[in-house]
Amino acid sequence: MTALLVMPKCLYCHEVKEADAFNRERVIPEAFGGFEENMVLKLVVCETCNTYFANHLELRLARDSIEGLDRYEHGIKSPTSETTFGRAALLRARVNDGGFYHGAQVWWGPSDDGKGLVLRPVPQYGVSDDSGKQIWFEFDKLPARSELEAHGFARGVPLTLKPFGVGPTEAEVQLRGTGYSPSPMEQFGSPPAEPIDVHIRGVIDRVLMRCIAKIAFNYLAYHYEGIARMEQFDATRQYIRYDVAQSTSPVSLSSDEFLAGLPADRAPLAHGVGVSSNRGRVVGQVTLFFRFHYRIVLADGGFLFAPTVVGKGHLFDPINRQIVELTPDPRRGRPIEVPPREG
């Protein structure tokens, strides 16, 4: 008797390929922790799709999101000499202490000892007048003195200039070359010597949303592969893999608690993923470090028979490398003993 050889079909591109064209795809991206008895998809996602996800979705989540920054704060990731946060468009931070450098842009880079991240100033100038108006301009975007009227400064009024992250000699050369004349009213300030408060502004763009959706969809496929392969999920797989737009975004921020009844100050230092089915709609939930709670519509109906069997949730503890199962609805999950968030 000859055995029938069935080649695997990729969950995302739907191409049938040889087994050696597939590799391992994790539910939680490796950049956010490794776990004992990890949830790994085998012969489900082809190497081509896996590589695309790693280079285009997971890289953005790790390097240009607040959750990516959280990895360093909680010791999940150690910085290298190349590590930076806050220099790209999606994640910015500004001084928020009401003091001399209020509003100045800062970024995170490796500390001198290489053991953590510290705030560093973006090279820039603060321009202010006696009315209290102040605008910060990046080093290479400082307008000429004659062009400040376009930014709301009256012609001829005394100005104070504050170089931040720019050396005094370099600053004076640039200022004089663009029509400024440092004087008692246009003077150089001194950078603060004490710790400062910052305001962080992050943007969750489509790339980040697609990566979050991938986490939820991989989780569904790990536990319910047959259901995840149904055509009712085609819109989700095309959104994740090819950025095919849907009429409404399948990913949104939820104000509900991932673990009901758990106060924010007791949120565990963990990731959470869950899926559930209600009235023919399959919905995923994802949180990384309990920073945000994402809700993902994986399938919006269309089933002949609703997949009522779908209902599962887990917490992923990156410190102890443990995975803990919750009740079918992760929002009604029980508290677990995992390292709490400090501060």
Side-chain angles (χ1 to χ4, degrees):
M1 178 180 294
T2 302
L4 178 63
L5 179 62
V6 178
M7 292 195 300
K9 182 179 183 180
C10 178
L11 178 70
Y12 287 97
C13 67
H14 266 190
E15 292 186 20
V16 176
K17 302 181 178 183
E18 298 284 351
D20 60 7
F22 288 74
N23 54 9
R24 296 157 57 89
E25 166 77 355
R26 296 169 177 82
V27 170
I28 297 293
E30 187 175 12
F32 287 82
F35 308 93
E36 297 177 5
E37 301 181 5
N38 204 355
M39 294 185 187
V40 179
L41 299 173
K42 302 175 183 178
L43 295 178
V44 175
V45 181
C46 73
E47 184 174 1
T48 300
C49 289
N50 199 334
T51 300
Y52 172 83
F53 295 146
N55 293 338
H56 294 85
L57 303 190
E58 295 175 11
L59 196 64
R60 175 75 68 87
L61 183 64
R63 295 186 179 180
D64 202 12
S65 72
I66 296 179
E67 293 101 328
L69 180 61
D70 284 338
R71 299 178 304 149
Y72 296 90
E73 177 184 350
H74 300 306
I76 307 304
K77 178 75 173 176
S78 298
T80 69
S81 60
E82 304 298 323
T83 301
T84 63
F85 277 88
R87 301 302 295 267
L90 296 186
L91 188 64
R92 294 292 178 94
R94 293 187 178 274
V95 178
N96 191 42
D97 63 355
F100 193 72
Y101 285 93
H102 183 80
Q105 187 177 338
V106 291
W107 60 282
W108 291 266
S111 59
D112 292 338
D113 61 12
K115 295 181 179 180
L117 295 180
V118 295
L119 286 170
R120 300 185 183 278
V122 172
Q124 64 202 292
Y125 296 94
V127 181
S128 59
D129 60 20
D130 290 342
S131 72
K133 179 182 180 61
Q134 177 170 270
I135 299 178
W136 288 92
F137 299 96
E138 293 185 24
F139 177 82
D140 58 351
K141 297 179 181 177
L142 177 70
R145 180 68 174 84
S146 59
E147 298 172 347
L148 284 180
E149 284 186 76
H151 296 274
F153 292 99
R155 181 185 296 273
V157 299
L159 297 175
T160 297
L161 282 90
K162 308 172 184 178
F164 194 22
V166 185
T169 301
E170 185 180 16
E172 185 165 359
V173 170
Q174 183 185 20
L175 291 174
R176 292 190 183 281
T178 50
Y180 297 89
S181 178
S183 66
M185 292 303 297
E186 297 178 346
Q187 53 189 298
F188 301 109
S190 300
E194 67 281 349
I196 55 176
D197 293 328
V198 297
H199 174 77
I200 302 174
R201 177 182 179 272
V203 176
I204 304 173
D205 70 352
R206 283 176 63 92
V207 175
L208 295 180
M209 289 184 178
R210 289 165 59 206
C211 194
I212 293 297
K214 183 180 75 74
I215 293 174
F217 194 48
N218 280 354
Y219 181 85
L220 177 72
Y222 181 83
H223 294 285
Y224 310 99
E225 181 181 342
I227 292 176
R229 291 187 179 277
M230 297 174 69
E231 64 180 16
Q232 286 79 6
F233 296 91
D234 284 352
T236 292
R237 74 181 95 251
Q238 291 171 11
Y239 169 76
I240 296 170
R241 179 61 176 89
Y242 302 109
D243 194 21
V244 176
Q246 301 186 29
S247 57
T248 59
S249 173
V251 183
S252 60
L253 289 174
S254 174
S255 59
D256 294 337
E257 297 169 335
F258 189 88
L259 295 175
L262 189 67
D265 60 355
R266 291 185 57 206
L269 180 54
H271 315 310
V273 187
V275 290
S276 60
S277 174
N278 183 26
R279 298 180 180 178
R281 170 180 282 188
V282 178
V283 175
Q285 299 179 69
V286 173
T287 182
L288 300 175
F289 298 112
F290 275 72
R291 168 68 70 175
F292 302 116
H293 178 189
Y294 300 94
R295 180 178 182 272
I296 308 97
V297 178
L298 298 173
D300 195 9
F303 298 97
L304 181 60
F305 299 100
T308 56
V309 68
V310 173
K312 195 173 287 290
H314 285 82
L315 290 187
F316 298 75
D317 171 7
I319 301 298
N320 297 309
R321 300 172 58 88
Q322 300 294 315
I323 300 176
V324 179
E325 185 172 5
L326 304 174
T327 55
D329 181 351
R331 292 183 297 122
R332 296 199 300 270
R334 57 183 175 82
I336 63 170
E337 296 297 327
V338 295
R341 185 184 303 276
E342 297 181 358

